[in-house]
Amino acid sequence: MAESSVSADQVLDCTGLACPLPVVKTSQAIKKIEPGQVLELIATDPGVEPDMHAWSRRTGNELLSISKEADVFHILIRRVK
């Protein structure tokens, strides 16, 4: 899951938002990009990591990577369909 060379086509900033808002906003944002494009989610909610694993399994979108810098998660998701 380490594809650090991937650049995001769109960035979704959900810093400061608590569950379930990052998941809700990710669901909305992923529909606005083309299949094959990458969305970067930036979030501070510690629940976002398990939430995005579950969301990507449920939706079929590809979870490329999750990295954490200080208290900020950077999550890359590729739209599959």
Side-chain angles (χ1 to χ4, degrees):
M1 245 186 2
E3 293 194 31
S4 55
S5 60
V6 173
S7 63
D9 296 289
Q10 184 178 331
V11 176
L12 175 63
D13 186 351
C14 288
T15 53
L17 297 180
C19 180
L21 283 173
V23 174
V24 171
K25 290 185 174 290
T26 299
S27 294
Q28 293 168 343
I30 203 94
K31 293 179 176 113
K32 294 179 181 155
I33 63 174
E34 297 298 315
Q37 288 189 313
V38 175
L39 176 71
E40 180 179 9
L41 168 63
I42 302 170
T44 49
D45 178 15
V48 78
E49 191 168 359
D51 286 351
M52 293 320 297
H53 279 286
W55 178 85
S56 61
R57 276 195 305 272
R58 196 171 65 245
T59 62
N61 291 294
E62 185 182 356
L63 185 59
L64 299 175
S65 68
I66 297 179
S67 59
K68 188 177 179 191
E69 297 167 24
D71 291 333
V72 181
F73 291 90
H74 294 267
I75 301 164
L76 292 175
I77 305 157
R78 177 175 286 127
R79 180 173 177 184
V80 173
K81 53 187 187 252

